[in-house]
mmCIF file with all atom_site columns, all heavy atoms in Angstrom:
data_model
loop_
_atom_site.group_PDB
_atom_site.id
_atom_site.type_symbol
_atom_site.label_atom_id
_atom_site.label_alt_id
_atom_site.label_comp_id
_atom_site.label_asym_id
_atom_site.label_entity_id
_atom_site.label_seq_id
_atom_site.pdbx_PDB_ins_code
_atom_site.Cartn_x
_atom_site.Cartn_y
_atom_site.Cartn_z
_atom_site.occupancy
_atom_site.B_iso_or_equiv
_atom_site.pdbx_formal_charge
_atom_site.auth_seq_id
_atom_site.auth_comp_id
_atom_site.auth_asym_id
_atom_site.auth_atom_id
_atom_site.pdbx_PDB_model_num
ATOM 1   N N   . ALA A 1 1  ? 159.135 15.982 83.884 1.00 0.00 ? 1  ALA A N   1
ATOM 2   C CA  . ALA A 1 1  ? 158.235 16.606 84.865 1.00 0.00 ? 1  ALA A CA  1
ATOM 3   C C   . ALA A 1 1  ? 158.978 16.878 86.204 1.00 0.00 ? 1  ALA A C   1
ATOM 4   O O   . ALA A 1 1  ? 158.775 17.897 86.851 1.00 0.00 ? 1  ALA A O   1
ATOM 5   C CB  . ALA A 1 1  ? 157.033 15.656 85.087 1.00 0.00 ? 1  ALA A CB  1
ATOM 6   N N   . ALA A 1 2  ? 159.870 15.983 86.569 1.00 0.00 ? 2  ALA A N   1
ATOM 7   C CA  . ALA A 1 2  ? 160.620 16.172 87.856 1.00 0.00 ? 2  ALA A CA  1
ATOM 8   C C   . ALA A 1 2  ? 161.579 17.332 87.771 1.00 0.00 ? 2  ALA A C   1
ATOM 9   O O   . ALA A 1 2  ? 161.754 18.055 88.709 1.00 0.00 ? 2  ALA A O   1
ATOM 10  C CB  . ALA A 1 2  ? 161.361 14.869 88.185 1.00 0.00 ? 2  ALA A CB  1
ATOM 11  N N   . THR A 1 3  ? 162.168 17.468 86.617 1.00 0.00 ? 3  THR A N   1
ATOM 12  C CA  . THR A 1 3  ? 163.095 18.662 86.375 1.00 0.00 ? 3  THR A CA  1
ATOM 13  C C   . THR A 1 3  ? 162.303 19.990 86.565 1.00 0.00 ? 3  THR A C   1
ATOM 14  O O   . THR A 1 3  ? 162.810 20.859 87.233 1.00 0.00 ? 3  THR A O   1
ATOM 15  C CB  . THR A 1 3  ? 163.737 18.581 84.948 1.00 0.00 ? 3  THR A CB  1
ATOM 16  O OG1 . THR A 1 3  ? 164.417 17.316 84.852 1.00 0.00 ? 3  THR A OG1 1
ATOM 17  C CG2 . THR A 1 3  ? 164.691 19.739 84.799 1.00 0.00 ? 3  THR A CG2 1
ATOM 18  N N   . MET A 1 4  ? 161.214 20.046 86.032 1.00 0.00 ? 4  MET A N   1
ATOM 19  C CA  . MET A 1 4  ? 160.321 21.178 86.154 1.00 0.00 ? 4  MET A CA  1
ATOM 20  C C   . MET A 1 4  ? 159.967 21.448 87.598 1.00 0.00 ? 4  MET A C   1
ATOM 21  O O   . MET A 1 4  ? 159.888 22.583 88.100 1.00 0.00 ? 4  MET A O   1
ATOM 22  C CB  . MET A 1 4  ? 159.042 21.149 85.265 1.00 0.00 ? 4  MET A CB  1
ATOM 23  C CG  . MET A 1 4  ? 159.367 20.867 83.805 1.00 0.00 ? 4  MET A CG  1
ATOM 24  S SD  . MET A 1 4  ? 160.464 22.049 82.987 1.00 0.00 ? 4  MET A SD  1
ATOM 25  C CE  . MET A 1 4  ? 159.300 23.430 82.723 1.00 0.00 ? 4  MET A CE  1
ATOM 26  N N   . ALA A 1 5  ? 159.640 20.289 88.330 1.00 0.00 ? 5  ALA A N   1
ATOM 27  C CA  . ALA A 1 5  ? 159.217 20.386 89.733 1.00 0.00 ? 5  ALA A CA  1
ATOM 28  C C   . ALA A 1 5  ? 160.300 20.861 90.678 1.00 0.00 ? 5  ALA A C   1
ATOM 29  O O   . ALA A 1 5  ? 160.161 21.671 91.504 1.00 0.00 ? 5  ALA A O   1
ATOM 30  C CB  . ALA A 1 5  ? 158.643 19.070 90.128 1.00 0.00 ? 5  ALA A CB  1
ATOM 31  N N   . ILE A 1 6  ? 161.572 20.337 90.487 1.00 0.00 ? 6  ILE A N   1
ATOM 32  C CA  . ILE A 1 6  ? 162.651 20.658 91.318 1.00 0.00 ? 6  ILE A CA  1
ATOM 33  C C   . ILE A 1 6  ? 163.118 22.121 91.046 1.00 0.00 ? 6  ILE A C   1
ATOM 34  O O   . ILE A 1 6  ? 163.687 22.774 91.897 1.00 0.00 ? 6  ILE A O   1
ATOM 35  C CB  . ILE A 1 6  ? 163.816 19.673 91.271 1.00 0.00 ? 6  ILE A CB  1
ATOM 36  C CG1 . ILE A 1 6  ? 164.463 19.608 89.899 1.00 0.00 ? 6  ILE A CG1 1
ATOM 37  C CG2 . ILE A 1 6  ? 163.350 18.230 91.682 1.00 0.00 ? 6  ILE A CG2 1
ATOM 38  C CD1 . ILE A 1 6  ? 165.735 18.750 89.911 1.00 0.00 ? 6  ILE A CD1 1
ATOM 39  N N   . ALA A 1 7  ? 162.858 22.621 89.814 1.00 0.00 ? 7  ALA A N   1
ATOM 40  C CA  . ALA A 1 7  ? 163.135 23.998 89.538 1.00 0.00 ? 7  ALA A CA  1
ATOM 41  C C   . ALA A 1 7  ? 162.353 24.989 90.388 1.00 0.00 ? 7  ALA A C   1
ATOM 42  O O   . ALA A 1 7  ? 162.800 26.052 90.790 1.00 0.00 ? 7  ALA A O   1
ATOM 43  C CB  . ALA A 1 7  ? 162.887 24.293 88.075 1.00 0.00 ? 7  ALA A CB  1
ATOM 44  N N   . ASP A 1 8  ? 161.141 24.564 90.747 1.00 0.00 ? 8  ASP A N   1
ATOM 45  C CA  . ASP A 1 8  ? 160.254 25.380 91.613 1.00 0.00 ? 8  ASP A CA  1
ATOM 46  C C   . ASP A 1 8  ? 160.462 25.025 93.112 1.00 0.00 ? 8  ASP A C   1
ATOM 47  O O   . ASP A 1 8  ? 159.980 25.871 93.941 1.00 0.00 ? 8  ASP A O   1
ATOM 48  C CB  . ASP A 1 8  ? 158.791 25.068 91.220 1.00 0.00 ? 8  ASP A CB  1
ATOM 49  C CG  . ASP A 1 8  ? 158.428 25.696 89.815 1.00 0.00 ? 8  ASP A CG  1
ATOM 50  O OD1 . ASP A 1 8  ? 159.068 26.649 89.414 1.00 0.00 ? 8  ASP A OD1 1
ATOM 51  O OD2 . ASP A 1 8  ? 157.532 25.135 89.177 1.00 0.00 ? 8  ASP A OD2 1
ATOM 52  N N   . HIS A 1 9  ? 161.028 24.000 93.404 1.00 0.00 ? 9  HIS A N   1
ATOM 53  C CA  . HIS A 1 9  ? 161.244 23.560 94.822 1.00 0.00 ? 9  HIS A CA  1
ATOM 54  C C   . HIS A 1 9  ? 162.370 24.378 95.433 1.00 0.00 ? 9  HIS A C   1
ATOM 55  O O   . HIS A 1 9  ? 163.445 24.558 94.861 1.00 0.00 ? 9  HIS A O   1
ATOM 56  C CB  . HIS A 1 9  ? 161.544 22.093 94.904 1.00 0.00 ? 9  HIS A CB  1
ATOM 57  C CG  . HIS A 1 9  ? 161.875 21.571 96.300 1.00 0.00 ? 9  HIS A CG  1
ATOM 58  N ND1 . HIS A 1 9  ? 160.935 21.317 97.165 1.00 0.00 ? 9  HIS A ND1 1
ATOM 59  C CD2 . HIS A 1 9  ? 163.038 21.287 96.885 1.00 0.00 ? 9  HIS A CD2 1
ATOM 60  C CE1 . HIS A 1 9  ? 161.436 20.959 98.289 1.00 0.00 ? 9  HIS A CE1 1
ATOM 61  N NE2 . HIS A 1 9  ? 162.759 20.894 98.162 1.00 0.00 ? 9  HIS A NE2 1
ATOM 62  N N   . LYS A 1 10 ? 162.192 24.893 96.635 1.00 0.00 ? 10 LYS A N   1
ATOM 63  C CA  . LYS A 1 10 ? 163.173 25.679 97.265 1.00 0.00 ? 10 LYS A CA  1
ATOM 64  C C   . LYS A 1 10 ? 164.042 24.734 98.159 1.00 0.00 ? 10 LYS A C   1
ATOM 65  O O   . LYS A 1 10 ? 163.559 24.057 99.004 1.00 0.00 ? 10 LYS A O   1
ATOM 66  C CB  . LYS A 1 10 ? 162.523 26.749 98.160 1.00 0.00 ? 10 LYS A CB  1
ATOM 67  C CG  . LYS A 1 10 ? 161.744 27.799 97.378 1.00 0.00 ? 10 LYS A CG  1
ATOM 68  C CD  . LYS A 1 10 ? 162.535 28.524 96.341 1.00 0.00 ? 10 LYS A CD  1
ATOM 69  C CE  . LYS A 1 10 ? 161.721 29.553 95.643 1.00 0.00 ? 10 LYS A CE  1
ATOM 70  N NZ  . LYS A 1 10 ? 162.461 30.089 94.453 1.00 0.00 ? 10 LYS A NZ  1
ATOM 71  N N   . GLY A 1 11 ? 165.303 24.693 97.860 1.00 0.00 ? 11 GLY A N   1
ATOM 72  C CA  . GLY A 1 11 ? 166.194 23.921 98.641 1.00 0.00 ? 11 GLY A CA  1
ATOM 73  C C   . GLY A 1 11 ? 167.056 22.913 97.767 1.00 0.00 ? 11 GLY A C   1
ATOM 74  O O   . GLY A 1 11 ? 166.733 22.724 96.638 1.00 0.00 ? 11 GLY A O   1
ATOM 75  N N   . PRO A 1 12 ? 167.935 22.152 98.431 1.00 0.00 ? 12 PRO A N   1
ATOM 76  C CA  . PRO A 1 12 ? 168.818 21.250 97.675 1.00 0.00 ? 12 PRO A CA  1
ATOM 77  C C   . PRO A 1 12 ? 168.031 20.035 97.129 1.00 0.00 ? 12 PRO A C   1
ATOM 78  O O   . PRO A 1 12 ? 167.202 19.469 97.874 1.00 0.00 ? 12 PRO A O   1
ATOM 79  C CB  . PRO A 1 12 ? 169.835 20.840 98.714 1.00 0.00 ? 12 PRO A CB  1
ATOM 80  C CG  . PRO A 1 12 ? 169.704 21.748 99.842 1.00 0.00 ? 12 PRO A CG  1
ATOM 81  C CD  . PRO A 1 12 ? 168.356 22.289 99.825 1.00 0.00 ? 12 PRO A CD  1
ATOM 82  N N   . CYS A 1 13 ? 168.412 19.596 95.994 1.00 0.00 ? 13 CYS A N   1
ATOM 83  C CA  . CYS A 1 13 ? 167.832 18.361 95.424 1.00 0.00 ? 13 CYS A CA  1
ATOM 84  C C   . CYS A 1 13 ? 168.924 17.558 94.716 1.00 0.00 ? 13 CYS A C   1
ATOM 85  O O   . CYS A 1 13 ? 169.867 18.159 94.206 1.00 0.00 ? 13 CYS A O   1
ATOM 86  C CB  . CYS A 1 13 ? 166.760 18.744 94.353 1.00 0.00 ? 13 CYS A CB  1
ATOM 87  S SG  . CYS A 1 13 ? 165.254 19.560 94.949 1.00 0.00 ? 13 CYS A SG  1
ATOM 88  N N   . TYR A 1 14 ? 168.681 16.277 94.766 1.00 0.00 ? 14 TYR A N   1
ATOM 89  C CA  . TYR A 1 14 ? 169.513 15.395 94.005 1.00 0.00 ? 14 TYR A CA  1
ATOM 90  C C   . TYR A 1 14 ? 168.638 14.421 93.196 1.00 0.00 ? 14 TYR A C   1
ATOM 91  O O   . TYR A 1 14 ? 167.760 13.828 93.702 1.00 0.00 ? 14 TYR A O   1
ATOM 92  C CB  . TYR A 1 14 ? 170.431 14.465 94.927 1.00 0.00 ? 14 TYR A CB  1
ATOM 93  C CG  . TYR A 1 14 ? 171.228 13.350 94.220 1.00 0.00 ? 14 TYR A CG  1
ATOM 94  C CD1 . TYR A 1 14 ? 172.413 13.718 93.593 1.00 0.00 ? 14 TYR A CD1 1
ATOM 95  C CD2 . TYR A 1 14 ? 170.784 12.062 94.159 1.00 0.00 ? 14 TYR A CD2 1
ATOM 96  C CE1 . TYR A 1 14 ? 173.165 12.773 92.909 1.00 0.00 ? 14 TYR A CE1 1
ATOM 97  C CE2 . TYR A 1 14 ? 171.490 11.056 93.447 1.00 0.00 ? 14 TYR A CE2 1
ATOM 98  C CZ  . TYR A 1 14 ? 172.732 11.435 92.832 1.00 0.00 ? 14 TYR A CZ  1
ATOM 99  O OH  . TYR A 1 14 ? 173.465 10.537 92.121 1.00 0.00 ? 14 TYR A OH  1
ATOM 100 N N   . MET A 1 15 ? 168.869 14.537 91.807 1.00 0.00 ? 15 MET A N   1
ATOM 101 C CA  . MET A 1 15 ? 168.079 13.620 90.959 1.00 0.00 ? 15 MET A CA  1
ATOM 102 C C   . MET A 1 15 ? 169.063 12.703 90.186 1.00 0.00 ? 15 MET A C   1
ATOM 103 O O   . MET A 1 15 ? 169.977 13.110 89.542 1.00 0.00 ? 15 MET A O   1
ATOM 104 C CB  . MET A 1 15 ? 167.247 14.469 89.987 1.00 0.00 ? 15 MET A CB  1
ATOM 105 C CG  . MET A 1 15 ? 166.326 13.542 89.117 1.00 0.00 ? 15 MET A CG  1
ATOM 106 S SD  . MET A 1 15 ? 165.086 14.557 88.312 1.00 0.00 ? 15 MET A SD  1
ATOM 107 C CE  . MET A 1 15 ? 165.954 15.086 86.845 1.00 0.00 ? 15 MET A CE  1
ATOM 108 N N   . ARG A 1 16 ? 168.657 11.366 90.200 1.00 0.00 ? 16 ARG A N   1
ATOM 109 C CA  . ARG A 1 16 ? 169.578 10.372 89.469 1.00 0.00 ? 16 ARG A CA  1
ATOM 110 C C   . ARG A 1 16 ? 168.810 9.951  88.239 1.00 0.00 ? 16 ARG A C   1
ATOM 111 O O   . ARG A 1 16 ? 167.546 9.760  88.178 1.00 0.00 ? 16 ARG A O   1
ATOM 112 C CB  . ARG A 1 16 ? 169.881 9.253  90.430 1.00 0.00 ? 16 ARG A CB  1
ATOM 113 C CG  . ARG A 1 16 ? 168.755 8.314  90.630 1.00 0.00 ? 16 ARG A CG  1
ATOM 114 C CD  . ARG A 1 16 ? 168.970 7.150  91.604 1.00 0.00 ? 16 ARG A CD  1
ATOM 115 N NE  . ARG A 1 16 ? 170.289 6.495  91.537 1.00 0.00 ? 16 ARG A NE  1
ATOM 116 C CZ  . ARG A 1 16 ? 170.454 5.237  91.219 1.00 0.00 ? 16 ARG A CZ  1
ATOM 117 N NH1 . ARG A 1 16 ? 169.387 4.462  90.795 1.00 0.00 ? 16 ARG A NH1 1
ATOM 118 N NH2 . ARG A 1 16 ? 171.635 4.655  91.190 1.00 0.00 ? 16 ARG A NH2 1
ATOM 119 N N   . MET A 1 17 ? 169.554 9.679  87.156 1.00 0.00 ? 17 MET A N   1
ATOM 120 C CA  . MET A 1 17 ? 169.048 9.159  85.933 1.00 0.00 ? 17 MET A CA  1
ATOM 121 C C   . MET A 1 17 ? 169.918 8.147  85.357 1.00 0.00 ? 17 MET A C   1
ATOM 122 O O   . MET A 1 17 ? 171.094 8.202  85.574 1.00 0.00 ? 17 MET A O   1
ATOM 123 C CB  . MET A 1 17 ? 168.768 10.337 84.942 1.00 0.00 ? 17 MET A CB  1
ATOM 124 C CG  . MET A 1 17 ? 167.772 11.371 85.422 1.00 0.00 ? 17 MET A CG  1
ATOM 125 S SD  . MET A 1 17 ? 167.577 12.663 84.159 1.00 0.00 ? 17 MET A SD  1
ATOM 126 C CE  . MET A 1 17 ? 169.271 13.406 84.151 1.00 0.00 ? 17 MET A CE  1
ATOM 127 N N   . GLY A 1 18 ? 169.384 7.223  84.500 1.00 0.00 ? 18 GLY A N   1
ATOM 128 C CA  . GLY A 1 18 ? 170.219 6.262  83.905 1.00 0.00 ? 18 GLY A CA  1
ATOM 129 C C   . GLY A 1 18 ? 170.785 6.819  82.566 1.00 0.00 ? 18 GLY A C   1
ATOM 130 O O   . GLY A 1 18 ? 170.537 7.869  82.079 1.00 0.00 ? 18 GLY A O   1
ATOM 131 N N   . ARG A 1 19 ? 171.598 5.964  81.964 1.00 0.00 ? 19 ARG A N   1
ATOM 132 C CA  . ARG A 1 19 ? 172.174 6.202  80.670 1.00 0.00 ? 19 ARG A CA  1
ATOM 133 C C   . ARG A 1 19 ? 171.321 5.743  79.522 1.00 0.00 ? 19 ARG A C   1
ATOM 134 O O   . ARG A 1 19 ? 171.205 6.497  78.512 1.00 0.00 ? 19 ARG A O   1
ATOM 135 C CB  . ARG A 1 19 ? 173.592 5.522  80.585 1.00 0.00 ? 19 ARG A CB  1
ATOM 136 C CG  . ARG A 1 19 ? 174.288 5.709  79.244 1.00 0.00 ? 19 ARG A CG  1
ATOM 137 C CD  . ARG A 1 19 ? 175.518 4.819  79.202 1.00 0.00 ? 19 ARG A CD  1
ATOM 138 N NE  . ARG A 1 19 ? 176.403 5.045  78.063 1.00 0.00 ? 19 ARG A NE  1
ATOM 139 C CZ  . ARG A 1 19 ? 177.428 4.475  77.791 1.00 0.00 ? 19 ARG A CZ  1
ATOM 140 N NH1 . ARG A 1 19 ? 177.948 3.504  78.707 1.00 0.00 ? 19 ARG A NH1 1
ATOM 141 N NH2 . ARG A 1 19 ? 178.209 4.670  76.776 1.00 0.00 ? 19 ARG A NH2 1
ATOM 142 N N   . ALA A 1 20 ? 170.809 4.562  79.610 1.00 0.00 ? 20 ALA A N   1
ATOM 143 C CA  . ALA A 1 20 ? 170.140 3.908  78.511 1.00 0.00 ? 20 ALA A CA  1
ATOM 144 C C   . ALA A 1 20 ? 168.778 4.321  78.224 1.00 0.00 ? 20 ALA A C   1
ATOM 145 O O   . ALA A 1 20 ? 168.126 5.064  79.066 1.00 0.00 ? 20 ALA A O   1
ATOM 146 C CB  . ALA A 1 20 ? 170.195 2.396  78.735 1.00 0.00 ? 20 ALA A CB  1
ATOM 147 N N   . ASP A 1 21 ? 168.159 3.966  77.096 1.00 0.00 ? 21 ASP A N   1
ATOM 148 C CA  . ASP A 1 21 ? 166.756 4.192  76.868 1.00 0.00 ? 21 ASP A CA  1
ATOM 149 C C   . ASP A 1 21 ? 165.860 3.308  77.701 1.00 0.00 ? 21 ASP A C   1
ATOM 150 O O   . ASP A 1 21 ? 166.118 2.089  77.766 1.00 0.00 ? 21 ASP A O   1
ATOM 151 C CB  . ASP A 1 21 ? 166.511 3.862  75.375 1.00 0.00 ? 21 ASP A CB  1
ATOM 152 C CG  . ASP A 1 21 ? 167.046 4.888  74.457 1.00 0.00 ? 21 ASP A CG  1
ATOM 153 O OD1 . ASP A 1 21 ? 167.542 5.933  74.977 1.00 0.00 ? 21 ASP A OD1 1
ATOM 154 O OD2 . ASP A 1 21 ? 167.024 4.738  73.240 1.00 0.00 ? 21 ASP A OD2 1
ATOM 155 N N   . PHE A 1 22 ? 164.840 3.868  78.382 1.00 0.00 ? 22 PHE A N   1
ATOM 156 C CA  . PHE A 1 22 ? 163.929 3.072  79.148 1.00 0.00 ? 22 PHE A CA  1
ATOM 157 C C   . PHE A 1 22 ? 162.574 3.132  78.470 1.00 0.00 ? 22 PHE A C   1
ATOM 158 O O   . PHE A 1 22 ? 162.160 4.145  77.820 1.00 0.00 ? 22 PHE A O   1
ATOM 159 C CB  . PHE A 1 22 ? 163.718 3.632  80.596 1.00 0.00 ? 22 PHE A CB  1
ATOM 160 C CG  . PHE A 1 22 ? 164.955 3.646  81.457 1.00 0.00 ? 22 PHE A CG  1
ATOM 161 C CD1 . PHE A 1 22 ? 164.969 4.371  82.621 1.00 0.00 ? 22 PHE A CD1 1
ATOM 162 C CD2 . PHE A 1 22 ? 166.111 2.862  81.107 1.00 0.00 ? 22 PHE A CD2 1
ATOM 163 C CE1 . PHE A 1 22 ? 166.053 4.466  83.453 1.00 0.00 ? 22 PHE A CE1 1
ATOM 164 C CE2 . PHE A 1 22 ? 167.278 3.048  81.918 1.00 0.00 ? 22 PHE A CE2 1
ATOM 165 C CZ  . PHE A 1 22 ? 167.228 3.784  83.074 1.00 0.00 ? 22 PHE A CZ  1
ATOM 166 N N   . PRO A 1 23 ? 161.682 2.140  78.655 1.00 0.00 ? 23 PRO A N   1
ATOM 167 C CA  . PRO A 1 23 ? 160.304 2.259  78.180 1.00 0.00 ? 23 PRO A CA  1
ATOM 168 C C   . PRO A 1 23 ? 159.615 3.446  78.828 1.00 0.00 ? 23 PRO A C   1
ATOM 169 O O   . PRO A 1 23 ? 159.799 3.785  80.002 1.00 0.00 ? 23 PRO A O   1
ATOM 170 C CB  . PRO A 1 23 ? 159.652 0.942  78.676 1.00 0.00 ? 23 PRO A CB  1
ATOM 171 C CG  . PRO A 1 23 ? 160.801 -0.045 78.764 1.00 0.00 ? 23 PRO A CG  1
ATOM 172 C CD  . PRO A 1 23 ? 161.973 0.770  79.265 1.00 0.00 ? 23 PRO A CD  1
ATOM 173 N N   . LEU A 1 24 ? 158.744 4.076  78.047 1.00 0.00 ? 24 LEU A N   1
ATOM 174 C CA  . LEU A 1 24 ? 157.980 5.233  78.543 1.00 0.00 ? 24 LEU A CA  1
ATOM 175 C C   . LEU A 1 24 ? 156.663 4.644  79.091 1.00 0.00 ? 24 LEU A C   1
ATOM 176 O O   . LEU A 1 24 ? 155.795 4.133  78.393 1.00 0.00 ? 24 LEU A O   1
ATOM 177 C CB  . LEU A 1 24 ? 157.552 6.152  77.389 1.00 0.00 ? 24 LEU A CB  1
ATOM 178 C CG  . LEU A 1 24 ? 158.846 6.992  76.871 1.00 0.00 ? 24 LEU A CG  1
ATOM 179 C CD1 . LEU A 1 24 ? 158.415 7.738  75.656 1.00 0.00 ? 24 LEU A CD1 1
ATOM 180 C CD2 . LEU A 1 24 ? 159.416 7.844  77.980 1.00 0.00 ? 24 LEU A CD2 1
ATOM 181 N N   . ILE A 1 25 ? 156.547 4.680  80.447 1.00 0.00 ? 25 ILE A N   1
ATOM 182 C CA  . ILE A 1 25 ? 155.372 4.100  81.113 1.00 0.00 ? 25 ILE A CA  1
ATOM 183 C C   . ILE A 1 25 ? 154.458 5.170  81.722 1.00 0.00 ? 25 ILE A C   1
ATOM 184 O O   . ILE A 1 25 ? 153.424 4.794  82.214 1.00 0.00 ? 25 ILE A O   1
ATOM 185 C CB  . ILE A 1 25 ? 155.767 3.074  82.218 1.00 0.00 ? 25 ILE A CB  1
ATOM 186 C CG1 . ILE A 1 25 ? 156.696 3.813  83.281 1.00 0.00 ? 25 ILE A CG1 1
ATOM 187 C CG2 . ILE A 1 25 ? 156.526 1.909  81.621 1.00 0.00 ? 25 ILE A CG2 1
ATOM 188 C CD1 . ILE A 1 25 ? 157.058 2.957  84.482 1.00 0.00 ? 25 ILE A CD1 1
ATOM 189 N N   . THR A 1 26 ? 154.846 6.432  81.699 1.00 0.00 ? 26 THR A N   1
ATOM 190 C CA  . THR A 1 26 ? 154.019 7.532  82.259 1.00 0.00 ? 26 THR A CA  1
ATOM 191 C C   . THR A 1 26 ? 153.604 8.364  81.088 1.00 0.00 ? 26 THR A C   1
ATOM 192 O O   . THR A 1 26 ? 154.291 8.345  80.020 1.00 0.00 ? 26 THR A O   1
ATOM 193 C CB  . THR A 1 26 ? 154.724 8.302  83.225 1.00 0.00 ? 26 THR A CB  1
ATOM 194 O OG1 . THR A 1 26 ? 155.826 9.029  82.618 1.00 0.00 ? 26 THR A OG1 1
ATOM 195 C CG2 . THR A 1 26 ? 155.296 7.491  84.381 1.00 0.00 ? 26 THR A CG2 1
ATOM 196 N N   . PRO A 1 27 ? 152.482 9.076  81.164 1.00 0.00 ? 27 PRO A N   1
ATOM 197 C CA  . PRO A 1 27 ? 151.995 9.896  80.077 1.00 0.00 ? 27 PRO A CA  1
ATOM 198 C C   . PRO A 1 27 ? 152.917 11.088 79.775 1.00 0.00 ? 27 PRO A C   1
ATOM 199 O O   . PRO A 1 27 ? 153.764 11.475 80.649 1.00 0.00 ? 27 PRO A O   1
ATOM 200 C CB  . PRO A 1 27 ? 150.640 10.440 80.626 1.00 0.00 ? 27 PRO A CB  1
ATOM 201 C CG  . PRO A 1 27 ? 150.340 9.707  81.777 1.00 0.00 ? 27 PRO A CG  1
ATOM 202 C CD  . PRO A 1 27 ? 151.600 9.116  82.358 1.00 0.00 ? 27 PRO A CD  1
#
């Protein structure tokens, strides 16, 4: 969802992500 949001956002963005599998806690 954040990837889709920053694609529409005008201006520089930095997004950080981990390497491993995390539990899915959001829908």
Side-chain angles (χ1 to χ4, degrees):
T3 303
M4 305 304 281
I6 65 175
D8 290 332
H9 177 77
K10 299 302 181 185
C13 293
Y14 175 78
M15 185 167 85
R16 77 182 318 245
M17 299 180 294
R19 174 189 189 180
D21 291 350
F22 298 168
L24 294 173
I25 59 173
T26 64

